[in-house]
Amino acid sequence: MSAPLPGLRVAVVGGGIVGLACADELVRAGHDVHVFDPAPAAGATHAAAGMLAPAGEAWFGEEALLRLGLDSLARWPAYAASLERRSGRDVDLRTGGTLLVAADRDDLAELRRACAALETYAVRADELDRRSLRALEPTVSARVAGGALLPDDCHVAPRRVAGALLDLLGERVVRARATPTPDGVVLDDGRRVVADVVVLATGAVGVPHVRPVRGEVVRVRTRDAPTRVLRARVHGDRVYVVPRAHGELVVGATEEEHPAGDGPPLPTVGGLARLLETARLLLPGLDTAEVLEVVARDRPGSPDNGPLLGPLAGPGPARVLVAGGHYRGGVLLAPVTAVTIRAHVDGLDVPPAARPFTPDRFATRPGPDDKDHQPCTCTSTDDPTSCPTAPC
Ligand code: GLY
């Protein structure tokens, strides 16, 4: 392990929650950091529901990603406390777990398979019958088949986290589009900024092997808000509902593959109709909820659903590090990503859970620009072994 090198010039390209968290960590480590983004925190961060839910989001065969999520979840209480202390902003970190809900017997069979998988990873999942589930959350439909409590998941308000980071970074955030060059970045107006290190945190744009996966969310306000995060399977369709302050709920989220360059993400009638109908079957009280906002954004999806964290071969002499491809986990994974990128910058030990997520793990796979490339679609199937792009 080499000694930290203080005072490097770092250009972070991309001011979503991941780029901002990396920048804040690097400033605290003594580096001279600037973040470049024409609209900071307006991409996937703006739509994110803020689930810190490695158990709730776990998927069959993704143990390394689960471990990374658990590592980052463990960092969140101290991370939120530090942000709040330094910025004076409340980021609304809440505990209470995720409540999995199954609407019918088929949904329940799927839920039990998910809980059994979590148990093999030594993650707690407490199965609940309908009566005990509704005792915890009386707003849930009386017709559901059953559920389970994942007690350790948490959630946070991503827009507040981003607001805190933006306040802390102040004028270090430059509202401009930047493109990496061999010795730093060049801005849209032609200005060149020399940097020793470029951190590529551009989400679904310009990161090798990362593709946009569109998601739509609806924010509503109701008097009948559940107190916990609900993740439900309703006659085969999935939905989650995340409570925020003042009776607000974030209802999400669709997942649609769109070709890169398919225009700005806009909500579709079909996507919203499915989302709202599924949510209403889960929470009948939503019938009278007020719709506050409808948002669509692109998540940065990688071929194995895990992030890309670490060095990328660059045209030199500036070192290029990537912090991208966080897919459904940008908010959850922000703290461990920041520590990992700082470790690469300063030659420190990378957290063990982050070590499998090197960007070069896809080097032998076809990239999204290759004509034979097909994005992994197994997260949208019931049976991961049926993935058409296997091994995915
Ligand atoms: N993490 C929730 C989502 O991506 O929809």
Side-chain angles (χ1 to χ4, degrees):
M1 190 177 86
S2 49
L5 303 167
L8 295 177
R9 295 162 298 181
V10 182
V12 179
V13 184
I17 197 164
V18 166
L20 295 174
C22 290
D24 178 54
E25 185 74 19
L26 291 167
V27 169
R28 280 156 56 82
H31 297 293
D32 180 14
V33 184
H34 289 90
V35 181
F36 300 93
D37 193 321
T45 302
H46 187 68
M51 286 178 287
L52 309 178
E57 299 253 21
W59 190 247
F60 303 97
E62 293 183 352
E63 184 176 1
L65 186 55
L66 172 67
R67 299 278 164 231
L68 184 69
L70 291 170
D71 174 305
S72 206
L73 175 63
R75 296 174 192 269
W76 257 103
Y79 187 70
S82 162
L83 282 184
E84 289 182 344
R85 190 183 62 252
R86 291 184 293 125
S87 71
R89 284 197 185 223
D90 172 8
V91 298
D92 199 14
L93 176 70
R94 299 189 195 191
T95 55
T98 298
L99 198 56
L100 302 181
V101 185
D104 62 27
R105 281 167 48 170
D106 288 346
D107 297 331
L108 193 57
E110 167 71 12
L111 181 149
R112 286 184 173 141
R113 279 201 322 135
C115 291
L118 286 174
E119 274 168 26
T120 66
Y121 300 140
V123 175
R124 213 175 125 192
D126 304 330
E127 194 171 336
L128 301 168
D129 61 18
R130 180 189 323 162
R131 182 192 294 257
S132 28
L133 186 153
R134 294 195 71 244
L136 283 179
E137 288 297 349
T139 54
V140 169
S141 164
R143 292 163 172 256
V144 299
L149 180 64
L150 310 179
D152 300 323
D153 284 352
C154 300
H155 56 116
V156 73
R159 293 180 186 179
R160 293 191 186 191
V161 174
L165 287 165
L166 285 168
D167 280 359
L168 289 167
L169 290 163
E171 292 181 359
R172 293 179 181 278
V173 180
V174 180
R175 284 167 166 72
R177 195 177 309 281
T179 309
T181 62
D183 61 356
V185 295
V186 60
L187 308 191
D188 267 1
D189 63 6
R191 271 183 296 158
R192 304 188 82 81
V193 179
V194 175
D196 304 298
V197 181
V198 174
V199 179
L200 203 55
T202 43
V205 181
V207 178
H209 300 283
V210 176
R211 68 187 195 282
V213 183
R214 192 154 299 173
E216 292 146 303
V217 297
V218 183
R219 285 171 191 262
V220 302
R221 184 167 43 218
T222 175
R223 291 179 197 279
D224 295 322
T227 58
R228 289 175 183 73
V229 173
L230 307 178
R231 293 183 73 92
R233 214 178 137 87
V234 181
H235 314 312
D237 287 328
R238 295 169 198 276
V239 69
Y240 57 74
V241 177
V242 181
R244 299 253 63 95
H246 314 302
E248 278 189 32
L249 301 176
V250 183
V251 179
T254 54
E255 285 192 79
E256 288 168 30
E257 301 275 350
H258 284 256
D262 194 24
L266 292 172
T268 63
V269 171
L272 291 180
R274 277 190 295 280
L275 199 58
L276 289 176
E277 185 53 17
T278 311
R280 202 171 61 111
L281 290 171
L282 172 69
L283 293 172
L286 284 191
D287 230 25
T288 53
E290 298 162 332
V291 176
L292 304 176
E293 187 186 66
V294 177
V295 177
R297 290 290 187 275
D298 288 333
R299 307 176 184 84
S302 80
D304 64 5
N305 299 333
L308 288 77
L309 306 174
L312 207 60
R319 288 161 61 200
V320 180
L321 298 171
V322 59
H326 289 71
Y327 190 35
R328 303 177 62 93
V331 179
L332 167 65
L333 299 177
V336 74
T337 297
V339 169
T340 301
I341 294 302
R342 191 251 161 137
H344 281 291
V345 171
D346 282 343
L348 306 175
D349 285 340
V350 168
R355 289 181 196 157
F357 294 96
T358 57
D360 64 7
R361 70 188 186 279
F362 303 123
T364 57
R365 297 172 185 230
D369 297 332
D370 295 311
K371 71 176 173 34
D372 294 333
H373 174 77
Q374 280 192 310
C376 164
T377 53
C378 68
T379 52
S380 60
T381 68
D382 288 348
D383 177 4
T385 58
S386 72
C387 174
T389 57
C392 61

